[in-house]
């Protein structure tokens, strides 16, 4: 049994850092799994920033709030055509 425990310890010790996928769709799915709200309005660079290791929830919220504000700014009022 001692050898089995050694193998398990070696497997957990050899964890490589997970690299982020390269497509926006894959990044969006990862953000959805992590429970990030409004992930659909984030662009690719914002998604990589939000999914980076060591980012705090406050920093995530700040990036998402900026993206939501940018998205809402694109919705203008329709002017009546004469």
């Amino acid at each position: 049994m001692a050898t089995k425990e050694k193998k398990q310890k070696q497997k957990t010790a050899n964890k490589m850092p997970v690299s982020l996928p390269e497509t926006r769709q894959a990044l969006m799915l990862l953000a959805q799994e992590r429970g990030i709200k409004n992930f659909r309005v984030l662009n690719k660079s914002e998604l990589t920033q939000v999914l980076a290791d060591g980012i705090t929830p406050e920093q995530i919220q700040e990036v998402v709030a900026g993206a939501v504000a940018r998205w809402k700014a694109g919705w203008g009022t329709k002017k009546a055509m004469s």
Side-chain angles (χ1 to χ4, degrees):
M1 284 216 165
T3 58
K4 188 175 184 180
E5 289 176 12
K6 275 187 177 180
K7 286 182 182 180
Q8 286 179 345
K9 285 183 182 178
Q10 287 176 350
K11 285 182 183 179
T12 57
N14 292 336
K15 277 191 173 180
M16 298 295 287
V18 179
S19 63
L20 293 175
E22 297 200 14
T23 63
R24 183 173 182 266
Q25 180 66 33
L27 290 169
M28 285 174 53
L29 290 173
L30 189 57
Q32 183 180 18
E33 288 174 3
R34 291 191 184 180
I36 297 172
K37 304 277 185 190
N38 296 319
F39 63 90
R40 288 180 184 89
V41 298
L42 299 173
N43 60 30
K44 188 175 178 181
S45 64
E46 289 169 337
L47 281 167
T48 55
Q49 182 181 359
V50 166
L51 295 172
D53 292 333
I55 190 167
T56 64
E58 292 81 21
Q59 292 171 328
I60 292 173
Q61 186 62 25
E62 186 177 315
V63 171
V64 170
V68 168
R70 182 185 67 235
W71 177 74
K72 285 184 178 179
W75 292 93
T77 58
K78 291 186 179 180
K79 295 190 179 188
M81 295 178 66
S82 317

